[in-house]
Amino acid sequence: MLLNKEQQDKVIDLMVADGLVDVSQVKKVYAEVTKSGQPILPALKSKNIATDDCIAHATAIVLNVPYVDLRNIRFDKRILLKIPQEVAQRSKVIPLMVEDGALHVALLDTSNIQKLDYVSTLAKMPLKTYMTSESGIKNALEQYVADLKDVDRVAKQEEARKNNKGDAQTITQDSPISKALSSILDYAAKSKASDIHIEPLEKSLVIRCRIDGVLRKTMELPKSIEPALVSRIKIMARLKIDEHRIPQDGQFEVNVNGNEIDLRISTSPVVWGEQVVIRLLDKSGTSMEVEKMGMTGQALRDVVAGISRPNGMILTSGPTGSGKSTTLYALIKKIKDESINIVTLEDPVEYKMDGVNQIQINVDAGLTFASGLRSILRQDPDVVMVGEIRDAETANLAVQAALTGHLVFSTLHTNSAAGILPRLLDMGIEPFLIASTLNTVIGQRLVRRVAERHDSYQSNEVETAMVKEIVGDILPKTSADVAAISERLGYPNLPLADSTSFTMVRGIDSEETPGGYAGRAGLYETITVDDDIQKLIVARATSGDIMRVAKMKGTISMRQDGTLKALSGITTMDEVNRVASDLA
């Protein structure tokens, strides 16, 4: 927007009065531009003396027009459909909302009558205008809702194309499908989704994303786009595009906003077509430090002690998707050093780490966990990581590796840390071998973190009773105990056990933080295999007996850890109950 000299001076005076710019710097620039006859506001922006947003906001005040900051705003997809994306990009006009029969829009120049008439005609309704900054417009156009809208537009193009051409393989090579797939992947990456589910129904194609462990429907596309989209994914994953009768697995990489993301592809025939599940492995967005993942207190001390020993086994357990592999990577990162040789066997290699020799399992070529483990033991390793102990042969080899002076990391699918021990017995491992090789066993699950924007509240009678039942025996009994017990458990300022209610938090539900959650944290329980636990293993004790003894020695169960996290404002009791209600 062009301003006359008087208006520019008022904008500068306003920014100076608000302390947004330095008056001496402004005078210096003013002297420079006066000689050249250039406007001063663009000069202040180019020299980084005033930001684009500050200038735009001050200009709106001087011109007496409403202003909106688009830097952190989120949009309703239905509102974006009021103006085609290509028009929004070309005209720099962003629809905000519909109210009182008018479409509210943000743009750079609210005085451009010709542009406003065009947009109003396109939207078929009158406009209410707001001024915004160029950086705000750019941010708005980059948001994922624009991607979703683009997918809808591409899907409609494909539906029309399908009606004219029945050749799915020809469609696969065309750019709209590539653009649609890119938009889906971009949205998933920006939303930090772990999985994308492409699910064919009778009359449509549903896209769902697993975000923070929960599946959410993100869009519904025409049925006609399915063959082309699935074929495009198969081509990129080097799968057979003409094979629709059996499941297939593959992988490929994409670059989203400068981040390399590994994609694991799984296709499977279903009633209405082929389902595709895409696992996203974004190395840049994953914390590789157990402390940041939520491990603290006794659990952290047990694990650090276990990995500090020169040999033995560290085993993690939990359901699929509970972060077991990430925990192993974090532990390896903790001990990684030039003086030791670390070799891993993985299926697949999820995160590539410098200084670690990582081997990809290839069953078709005969490279299994068992055969690979035999091979790498001849390569002089100090530390061995086996992605998963799936059978008795692998379990026996892992135990033998630990007995012969290696530190072995691996995972097992059990419900709890104590459940690892009976599971190894079921695999035929002798109790005395388990007792003599195990250092530490870890059980874990993942809960959603409460978003930064949250409210505090006092627990009701049911929640209070639940907290006391789960952690009443480990919370401090007197004020004098608070500091010591809080430090031992790893959670600051814990409440007293006899409190009549407890302060809890719940996140504020929004589009960016559905349900009031953002991100995830781990719930952990660890058992150090000492002399007493070894005696129980040799006696073939149950997992319940082992856990009771471990608790007497200071082990905190996953449910207790989750409750302490709820009392500390990290998560909620609803989340703890959702993921750990089956645990003691």
Side-chain angles (χ1 to χ4, degrees):
M1 178 179 291
L2 295 176
L3 302 179
N4 58 37
K5 184 177 182 304
E6 182 182 356
Q7 290 171 326
Q8 291 188 68
D9 289 343
K10 288 182 178 180
V11 170
I12 293 171
D13 290 342
L14 186 58
M15 291 192 294
V16 170
D18 288 345
L20 300 175
V21 293
D22 182 86
V23 65
S24 61
Q25 291 181 318
V26 171
K27 288 180 178 178
K28 182 178 179 181
V29 175
Y30 208 102
E32 293 175 2
V33 300
T34 300
K35 298 176 182 178
S36 61
Q38 296 176 345
I40 186 171
L41 294 180
L44 293 176
K45 177 184 171 183
S46 65
K47 294 179 179 294
N48 296 321
I49 294 172
T51 66
D52 177 41
D53 293 290
C54 286
I55 294 173
H57 198 171
T59 301
I61 294 173
V62 168
L63 297 179
N64 196 28
V65 297
Y67 179 83
V68 62
D69 186 349
L70 297 182
R71 287 174 296 175
N72 298 308
I73 199 168
R74 303 298 291 183
F75 301 98
D76 188 330
K77 175 184 168 185
R78 293 167 297 179
I79 295 300
L80 283 180
L81 293 173
K82 294 292 182 182
I83 299 176
Q85 185 183 0
E86 54 269 25
V87 174
Q89 289 177 320
R90 185 175 64 251
S91 302
K92 304 291 179 64
V93 178
I94 304 296
L96 302 174
M97 61 181 175
V98 175
E99 191 174 86
D100 298 329
L103 177 63
H104 294 231
V105 298
L107 69 165
L108 301 177
D109 186 358
T110 56
S111 65
N112 192 330
I113 303 300
Q114 185 178 0
K115 180 185 293 185
L116 294 175
D117 284 343
Y118 171 67
V119 173
S120 178
T121 302
L122 201 63
K124 299 179 181 178
M125 60 175 60
L127 303 182
K128 163 82 173 167
T129 60
Y130 297 79
M131 182 179 287
T132 191
S133 66
E134 192 165 350
S135 59
I137 290 278
K138 181 181 178 182
N139 177 72
L141 290 172
E142 288 176 349
Q143 287 194 30
Y144 74 90
V145 284
D147 290 336
L148 292 185
K149 177 181 172 297
D150 192 46
V151 170
D152 286 339
R153 180 177 62 79
V154 170
K156 290 173 184 175
Q157 290 179 357
E158 280 304 317
E159 187 171 26
R161 185 188 294 269
K162 181 70 175 177
N163 292 333
N164 296 325
K165 297 181 183 179
D167 187 350
Q169 293 197 27
T170 300
I171 295 173
T172 301
Q173 304 302 326
D174 291 343
S175 59
I177 282 296
S178 299
K179 197 168 185 180
L181 179 59
S182 295
S183 297
I184 293 170
L185 295 176
D186 285 349
Y187 166 70
K190 290 174 185 175
S191 303
K192 300 187 185 304
S194 61
D195 301 88
I196 303 169
H197 289 236
I198 301 174
E199 302 170 333
L201 304 180
E202 183 179 7
K203 297 179 179 178
S204 63
L205 186 68
V206 171
I207 311 295
R208 295 195 293 169
C209 291
R210 189 177 294 279
I211 302 171
D212 293 338
V214 178
L215 274 174
R216 302 173 193 161
K217 180 179 174 180
T218 57
M219 66 187 86
E220 189 167 341
L221 305 177
K223 178 71 172 177
S224 58
I225 200 176
E226 180 203 336
L229 185 60
V230 173
S231 293
R232 179 62 183 167
I233 294 170
K234 284 184 174 181
I235 288 172
M236 296 187 73
R238 297 182 180 179
L239 303 179
K240 298 177 181 178
I241 65 172
D242 58 344
E243 180 57 81
H244 309 290
R245 301 164 299 171
I246 60 174
Q248 297 187 73
D249 296 314
Q251 63 185 69
F252 62 93
E253 293 184 358
V254 294
N255 187 296
V256 179
N257 295 328
N259 294 330
E260 287 292 333
I261 299 179
D262 291 331
L263 305 177
R264 290 161 52 185
I265 313 299
S266 176
T267 68
S268 180
V270 293
V271 173
W272 300 114
E274 276 188 279
Q275 180 185 22
V276 180
V277 177
I278 304 174
R279 169 67 57 89
L280 291 86
L281 300 170
D282 184 358
K283 279 119 15 205
S284 63
T286 303
S287 170
M288 288 296 180
E289 297 180 24
V290 287
E291 295 89 347
K292 291 183 179 179
M293 290 157 56
M295 189 179 289
T296 186
Q298 187 63 45
L300 182 60
R301 289 190 290 272
D302 287 346
V303 168
V304 170
I307 65 177
S308 299
R309 295 169 65 177
N311 53 56
M313 295 177 67
I314 312 291
L315 298 182
T316 68
S317 69
T320 300
S322 59
K324 300 186 297 296
S325 297
T326 306
T327 297
L328 290 187
Y329 280 113
L331 297 181
I332 285 178
K333 181 180 176 183
K334 224 171 180 53
I335 64 171
K336 189 177 70 167
D337 186 83
E338 290 183 356
S339 64
I340 60 175
N341 178 24
I342 303 175
V343 185
T344 73
L345 275 170
E346 304 172 60
D347 184 21
V349 174
E350 295 187 0
Y351 303 103
K352 298 176 179 65
M353 296 182 71
D354 291 336
V356 177
N357 301 300
Q358 297 172 275
I359 300 173
Q360 168 76 53
I361 292 298
N362 188 338
V363 177
D364 293 338
L367 179 56
T368 64
F369 281 118
S371 64
L373 188 49
R374 282 196 194 92
S375 173
I376 63 177
L377 289 177
R378 295 191 291 270
Q379 296 184 347
D380 187 32
D382 297 290
V383 178
V384 176
M385 185 187 104
V386 181
E388 183 181 344
I389 294 178
R390 296 177 178 173
D391 51 47
E393 185 181 10
T394 307
N396 270 296
L397 287 168
V399 168
Q400 292 301 319
L403 283 171
T404 53
H406 304 91
L407 187 61
V408 179
F409 295 87
S410 193
T411 69
L412 272 172
H413 283 288
T414 63
N415 285 333
S416 63
I420 288 177
L421 308 170
R423 179 67 185 278
L424 290 173
L425 291 172
D426 291 341
M427 287 183 168
I429 309 298
E430 291 295 334
F432 72 90
L433 291 177
I434 299 173
S436 59
T437 56
L438 273 179
N439 294 351
T440 309
V441 291
I442 306 167
Q444 67 180 83
R445 302 213 177 161
L446 292 176
V447 291
R448 291 178 290 176
R449 289 181 181 268
V450 173
E452 287 188 15
R453 293 180 61 242
H454 59 261
D455 296 324
S456 299
Y457 72 98
Q458 293 301 120
S459 60
N460 56 35
E461 291 183 10
V462 174
E463 287 177 320
T464 302
M466 188 183 302
V467 169
K468 289 184 177 182
E469 178 187 354
I470 299 171
V471 295
D473 59 333
I474 60 175
L475 287 176
K477 303 298 186 290
T478 66
S479 299
D481 299 330
V482 171
I485 292 178
S486 295
E487 183 179 358
R488 180 175 67 81
L489 296 179
Y491 296 99
N493 303 317
L494 289 173
L496 297 178
D498 61 355
S499 301
T500 56
S501 65
F502 300 98
T503 301
M504 306 283 211
V505 299
R506 52 188 163 217
I508 297 173
D509 186 28
S510 68
E511 188 175 346
E512 301 90 344
T513 58
Y517 299 102
R520 289 192 288 178
L523 306 186
Y524 297 94
E525 65 185 21
T526 59
I527 299 176
T528 296
V529 182
D530 59 11
D531 291 342
D532 292 329
I533 300 296
Q534 285 179 349
K535 291 175 184 177
L536 290 174
I537 295 172
V538 172
R540 295 180 179 267
T542 65
S543 58
D545 292 337
I546 293 169
M547 193 62 188
R548 275 191 290 275
V549 173
K551 280 187 173 182
M552 292 170 57
K553 292 174 170 293
T555 288
I556 303 299
S557 72
M558 278 186 275
R559 200 159 189 217
Q560 288 177 320
D561 189 36
T563 304
L564 294 174
K565 281 181 166 66
L567 292 173
S568 301
I570 296 170
T571 188
T572 64
M573 285 304 299
D574 287 342
E575 265 298 282
V576 176
N577 291 331
R578 181 178 71 87
V579 305
S581 59
D582 61 323
L583 301 173

